[in-house]
């Protein structure tokens, strides 16, 4: 049996209790935004997930001490977790599955990967993200906003590759429309290339996510029907020989067939 209550948009927080058992009850939150509470972690988070596209916005407040977990609502393992403290002038902290759970990168910095315990040396699950305590860019009682991404077939690809110093191709399974790439082992920027500014090969127009500089032009980027590549270059930004690069790629035409196969060409 159940009781259904239709809640008005302007309703205050609702409290409920059991008429037969003292102390048994709780509260029903009525947020004004398109989000809801997640109690899956050791702390409460407020989430706005889109499980179809593999993207969730998560807001949380760090506890006073200790390690903790945060529910993200994706229903899939996030391969990128990016968060920023709203109360302090701190960096954008990034978990990327390409470098693992003992290291981090910073979106606003050219810095190489750094060893950190911020992720508790634990890979996230399809419901939880593991986070560190005060002193690891998670000061007590600060508010944080996080953007987390899971990989979706035919829509997004998140991974890493090792530079060759010459021609290299990275398979995504779809035609790339937007690409973010970073040399994880070197002090170079976060390169962004998209097909709106460079609709045909070579993919030349780029910006750095971490810089305020005007866009630049290169002549060696290529987007194919099933991936992307760098032609004849050993650029430290995208293809330095022997160094590891991390990337996030999103499809130009994010569609799949009735059998779930990615539509790769037009």
């Amino acid at each position: 049996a159940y009781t259904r209550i239709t809640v008005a948009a302007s309703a205050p927080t609702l409290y409920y209790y059991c008429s037969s058992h003292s102390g048994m009850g709780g509260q029903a939150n009525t947020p004004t935004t398109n989000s809801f509470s997640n109690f899956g972690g050791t702390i409460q988070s407020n989430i706005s997930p889109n499980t179809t596209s593999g993207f969730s916005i998560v807001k949380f407040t760090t506890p006073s001490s200790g390690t903790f977990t945060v529910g993200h609502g994706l229903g899939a393992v996030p391969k990128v977790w990016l968060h920023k403290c709203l109360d302090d002038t701190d960096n954008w902290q990034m978990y990327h599955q390409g470098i693992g759970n003992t290291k981090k990168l910073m979106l606003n910095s050219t810095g190489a990967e750094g060893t950190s315990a911020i992720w508790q040396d634990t890979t996230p699950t399809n419901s939880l993200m593991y986070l560190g305590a005060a002193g690891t860019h998670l000061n007590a009682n600060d508010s944080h906003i996080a953007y987390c991404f899971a990989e979706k077939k035919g829509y997004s690809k998140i991974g890493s590759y090792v530079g060759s110093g010459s021609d290299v191709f990275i398979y995504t399974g779809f035609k790339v429309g937007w690409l973010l790439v970073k040399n994880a082992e070197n002090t170079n920027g976060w390169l962004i290339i998209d097909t709106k500014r460079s609709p045909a090969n070579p993919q030349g127009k780029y910006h750095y996510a971490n810089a305020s500089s005007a866009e630049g032009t290169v002549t060696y980027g290529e987007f194919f029907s099933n991936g992307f590549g760098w032609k004849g270059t050993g650029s430290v930004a995208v293809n330095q020989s022997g160094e590891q690069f991390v990337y996030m790629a999103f499809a130009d035409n994010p569609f799949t067939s009735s059998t779930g196969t990615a539509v790769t060409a037009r």
Side-chain angles (χ1 to χ4, degrees):
Y2 68 92
T3 300
R4 175 178 291 173
I5 303 173
T6 301
V7 181
S10 59
T13 301
L14 303 177
Y15 298 91
Y16 57 90
Y17 65 94
C18 177
S19 60
S20 301
H21 301 89
S22 176
M24 182 182 290
Q27 73 179 51
N29 298 319
T30 55
T32 57
T33 57
N34 293 323
S35 59
F36 56 89
S37 296
N38 183 295
F39 299 94
T42 56
I43 65 168
Q44 177 183 339
S45 59
N46 193 261
I47 63 174
S48 182
N50 185 322
T51 56
T52 301
S53 63
F55 175 64
S56 182
I57 302 173
V58 183
K59 188 176 182 182
F60 63 93
T61 300
T62 52
S64 57
S65 63
T67 57
F68 59 98
T69 57
V70 179
H72 52 70
L74 279 176
V77 176
K79 292 195 171 184
V80 163
W81 170 281
L82 178 65
H83 78 248
K84 175 72 175 71
C85 179
L86 301 177
D87 298 321
D88 296 317
T89 55
D90 201 3
N91 296 308
W92 284 92
Q93 309 294 319
M94 178 184 278
Y95 163 85
H96 194 292
Q97 63 90 29
I99 59 174
N101 58 38
T102 63
K103 297 178 180 179
K104 68 172 184 176
L105 289 163
M106 294 178 289
L107 184 65
N108 59 303
S109 169
T110 62
E113 63 190 19
T115 301
S116 175
I118 191 173
W119 321 119
Q120 296 187 44
D121 298 351
T122 304
T123 302
T125 69
N126 60 4
S127 60
L128 295 175
M129 187 70 194
Y130 294 79
L131 294 172
T136 54
H137 306 281
L138 291 164
N139 292 324
N141 305 313
D142 277 350
S143 295
H144 287 257
I145 196 72
Y147 308 119
C148 50
F149 300 83
E151 197 174 84
K152 292 296 178 178
K153 184 177 181 180
Y155 178 74
S156 60
K157 187 72 174 177
I158 301 168
S160 63
Y161 63 92
V162 176
S164 67
S166 58
D167 290 5
V168 65
F169 170 76
I170 297 90
Y171 177 80
T172 62
F174 52 77
K175 182 176 181 181
V176 176
W178 186 91
L179 175 69
L180 173 70
V181 62
K182 169 76 170 78
N183 186 333
E185 299 184 50
N186 213 311
T187 55
N188 203 78
W190 293 85
L191 191 76
I192 298 176
I193 298 178
D194 62 80
T195 55
K196 297 305 178 185
R197 291 179 296 154
S198 300
N201 287 329
Q203 300 296 321
K205 300 290 185 180
Y206 71 88
H207 264 110
Y208 280 116
N210 55 280
S212 60
S213 55
E215 70 178 5
T217 303
V218 295
T219 59
Y220 43 74
E222 295 185 315
F223 287 176
F224 304 103
S225 64
N226 59 350
F228 66 94
W230 314 109
K231 186 173 180 61
T233 182
S235 166
V236 66
V238 295
N239 196 26
Q240 183 79 31
S241 179
E243 296 192 344
Q244 185 181 30
F245 295 80
V246 296
Y247 70 89
M248 295 176 64
F250 292 89
D252 193 37
N253 288 293
F255 300 108
T256 57
S257 69
S258 59
T259 60
T261 303
V263 178
T264 57
R266 288 185 286 185

